[in-house]
Amino acid sequence: MKQEVEIFVYGAEQICASCVGLPSSLDTYEWLEAAISRKFPEQSFKIQYVDIYDPPEAEKIRQFAERVIEEDLFYPVVTIRGEIIGEGNPRLKDLFKEMEKYGYRAEE
């Protein structure tokens, strides 16, 4: 049975110092949303962009945004159910593999 996943993309307007030359966090968020929709068409999921310097009030989200800053994680940081799936330049293969654990199936 498929469980709908919620994907969080934590990032900032400023590109991570170690990630110069890579797309912005917001561009990565938009790219991931489009890629996931193509890979798993008509299978619902949620994806949310979180600005690490202006996170929403939700405690868990705010705490993780603070962790990204405090631990100098390479952003964007992509999580599913609180687990880091990728950071800096997330790999689609890793994200798809994690989604398949929750019952998502690629359309052939």
Side-chain angles (χ1 to χ4, degrees), residues 51-88:
D51 185 322
I52 59 174
Y53 296 109
D54 187 23
E57 293 297 316
E59 186 69 17
K60 284 185 177 183
I61 297 171
R62 189 183 54 73
Q63 286 178 345
F64 194 87
E66 290 173 4
R67 179 181 166 197
V68 172
I69 295 167
E70 291 170 4
E71 295 181 14
D72 287 327
L73 299 176
F74 299 133
Y75 50 85
V77 177
V78 179
T79 68
I80 293 179
R81 299 204 174 175
E83 183 178 333
I84 297 174
I85 307 304
E87 59 178 294

Side-chain angles (χ1 to χ4, degrees), residues 2 9 12-13 20 26 31 33 45 51-52 63-67 69-70 74 82 89 95 99 102:
K2 184 173 65 114
V9 179
E13 276 188 44
V20 173
L26 194 54
W31 170 71
E33 184 175 35
F45 65 93
D51 185 322
I52 59 174
Q63 286 178 345
F64 194 87
E66 290 173 4
R67 179 181 166 197
I69 295 167
E70 291 170 4
F74 299 133
N89 188 17
L95 183 62
M99 291 183 73
Y102 295 101

Side-chain angles (χ1 to χ4, degrees), residues 15-16 18-25 27-28 74-76 87-90:
I15 292 178
C16 168
S18 298
C19 303
V20 173
L22 296 176
S24 72
S25 296
D27 287 342
T28 299
F74 299 133
Y75 50 85
E87 59 178 294
N89 188 17

